[in-house]
Amino acid sequence: MAEDSDLEKTEQATPKRLEKAREEGDVPRSRELATFTGLLAAGSGLWLSGDHLIRQLETTLVSGMSFNRTQAYDFATLYSQLARNLVDLMLAFAPMAGLLILVTLLSPALIGGWLFSTKALVPNFGRMNPIKGVTNMVSARALVELIKAVAKASLVGGVAWMVMAHEKEAVLSLSVESVHQSTAHLADLLWYAFIWMTAALGLIVLIDAPYQMFHYAKKLKMTREEVRQEAKEAEGDPQVKAKIRAQQREMARRRMMAEVPTADVVVTNPTHYAVALKYADGTMRAPIVVAKGADEVAARIREIAAEHKIPTLEAAPLARALYRHAELGTEIPEALYTAVAEILAYVFQLRTYRQRGGMAPVVPTNIDVPPELDPLNPAASAQLANGDL
């Protein structure tokens, strides 16, 4: 059952999937919306410039139907007159054409947004597959488009029939009116019918646009396995990342172990923790931690210290405090200055004793560590749990 659920497209498309679809030229589109906005633009253009357009058409028609003797025998003059008439017609239609172009460019922003993809221009011979074509013809998508086309034709045609039925007497009266009256009356009837038919198409758009968005989102849905695979490709395989982190930790540990021979002393717990400290008088403001570790790492630090004759001193509270509160490669906390100074004093005395002889220094015991810095102290544990340390 789990495998079946992983293969079902139940997950919404990820941003990467949506971006890939856009690159391939696949965005939601509503042809009804484009038709509706085009009709609105054409109607608005006629309403704004209709009078001027009619007058210009009338003037052009009169000019084109009349010519004098010169034009009859001089084709250059006739061509010049035709060119002027064409220019006048273009200028008359320019406002409406400009509005149509503007609306055509802006309408895609209403659903899907603007898009220019060269991949959509690449020939796809798979679309020429007749079997796939037949499958598309009998698909649910084709059925929806058929129902939508029938509904659109029925609705728009029905609205047109009702308008004409309502204005039947006005239509019949056109035959008894004068030319100018009937022309103006017919224009009013056509404009009235146009408004109602466009409104009917607008109702179809209100249904079609959300459906196109829903269908697009459904088409791009992904299975859980696809989402996981995409996450792996985007963020990397978790197993590979774990191996990389393990290698990084190993390299960091090797670098840390290489610093142990430079330490002045190793403070131990005695077996659980080991912290290697280094201090150069005059160049360092305070001792720094060059290596630290627990359990196996601590054992390796002690081994390297023994190989290079680095003094190792057992001071359990101090080792725990350094391990908990001192970061690798940084100075020790100021609260531990006194305790570490006591350790370093012993180390430097031991170094002098080994070089010159004399009285052996006394190994320091009962090194005083602030209770709040010892992880085993109950008060320190409570502060650590509250985030105060």
Side-chain angles (χ1 to χ4, degrees):
M1 295 295 293
E3 292 182 358
D4 292 340
S5 62
D6 286 348
L7 295 178
E8 294 179 358
K9 293 188 175 184
T10 58
E11 307 300 316
Q12 296 296 329
T14 61
K16 182 178 179 181
R17 179 68 174 268
L18 294 174
E19 183 63 26
K20 183 180 179 181
R22 286 188 64 86
E23 291 176 356
E24 295 175 352
D26 186 7
V27 292
R29 286 285 185 254
S30 173
R31 288 179 292 182
E32 315 307 331
L33 177 61
T35 304
F36 176 71
T37 54
L39 285 175
L40 281 182
S44 301
L46 286 174
W47 182 71
L48 293 174
S49 61
D51 292 340
H52 172 71
L53 183 60
I54 291 174
R55 287 194 300 269
Q56 186 61 50
L57 288 174
E58 183 180 0
T59 302
T60 303
L61 181 61
V62 171
S63 176
M65 297 296 292
S66 62
F67 55 93
N68 53 34
R69 180 181 178 84
T70 302
Q71 293 173 337
Y73 290 96
D74 187 357
F75 289 104
T77 305
L78 182 61
Y79 290 152
S80 177
Q81 180 66 29
L82 290 174
R84 284 196 299 269
N85 291 340
L86 289 175
V87 171
D88 292 339
L89 283 177
M90 292 175 63
L91 292 176
F93 279 99
M96 187 171 67
L99 184 60
L100 283 171
I101 294 173
L102 180 62
V103 170
T104 302
L105 294 176
L106 293 179
S107 59
L110 299 177
I111 176 173
W114 289 297
L115 176 66
F116 179 78
S117 175
T118 56
K119 291 185 178 180
L121 302 177
V122 177
N124 185 358
F125 296 102
R127 297 177 181 175
M128 300 176 64
N129 188 344
I131 298 178
K132 186 176 181 181
V134 173
T135 304
N136 292 333
M137 290 176 61
V138 297
S139 63
R141 171 78 171 175
L143 179 61
V144 171
E145 291 296 329
L146 176 61
I147 295 174
K148 187 173 65 175
V150 173
K152 180 173 66 173
S154 301
L155 182 60
V156 175
V159 169
W161 180 83
M162 287 189 294
V163 169
M164 290 297 101
H166 183 267
E167 299 293 336
K168 180 176 62 175
E169 295 182 359
V171 173
L172 295 176
S173 66
L174 293 176
S175 60
V176 297
E177 294 177 349
S178 64
V179 175
H180 291 286
Q181 289 179 338
S182 62
T183 302
H185 198 182
L186 178 61
D188 292 338
L189 289 174
L190 291 176
W191 180 251
Y192 181 68
F194 172 80
I195 292 175
W196 279 101
M197 292 170 68
T198 305
L201 187 59
L203 178 62
I204 296 175
V205 170
L206 291 178
I207 300 174
D208 182 66
Y211 169 76
Q212 294 298 336
M213 297 292 293
F214 167 77
H215 176 75
Y216 181 76
K218 182 180 179 181
K219 181 179 67 174
L220 293 186
K221 275 188 174 182
M222 306 169 64
T223 64
R224 293 181 181 178
E225 179 60 28
E226 288 176 336
V227 173
R228 285 194 290 264
Q229 187 63 32
E230 184 178 291
K232 288 182 180 180
E233 294 176 357
E235 302 176 3
D237 192 330
Q239 295 181 352
V240 175
K241 292 176 67 176
K243 291 181 180 179
I244 293 175
R245 286 194 295 267
Q247 292 178 355
Q248 290 174 341
R249 287 194 298 268
E250 181 62 24
M251 292 175 63
R253 191 177 73 173
R254 290 178 181 177
R255 288 194 298 269
M256 182 182 70
M257 293 302 179
E259 294 294 327
V260 174
T262 66
D264 293 311
V265 64
V266 175
V267 183
T268 64
N269 192 31
T271 58
H272 292 298
Y273 299 108
V275 181
L277 301 175
K278 180 179 180 180
Y279 178 70
D281 190 14
T283 60
M284 294 183 182
R285 192 176 66 89
I288 64 172
V289 177
V290 296
K292 69 174 185 176
D295 300 328
E296 295 181 1
V297 177
R300 182 57 182 160
I301 291 174
R302 291 193 299 270
E303 291 176 4
I304 296 176
E307 293 174 1
H308 293 83
K309 296 183 171 53
I310 305 298
T312 300
L313 184 64
E314 181 181 336
L318 180 58
R320 292 193 297 266
L322 288 170
Y323 182 82
R324 174 69 69 179
H325 302 291
E327 297 297 331
L328 190 66
T330 62
E331 297 179 353
I332 64 172
E334 187 174 352
L336 296 176
Y337 279 4
T338 302
V340 173
E342 187 176 352
I343 296 292
L344 290 176
Y346 164 74
V347 170
F348 295 147
Q349 291 174 5
L350 180 63
R351 187 178 301 168
T352 302
Y353 168 73
R354 290 176 177 176
Q355 293 176 352
R356 303 178 183 177
M359 183 178 296
V362 179
V363 178
T365 57
N366 298 324
I367 297 176
D368 187 22
V369 174
E372 65 273 11
L373 295 183
D374 188 353
L376 295 186
N377 185 281
S381 300
Q383 289 181 332
L384 186 63
N386 295 330
D388 297 333
L389 291 179

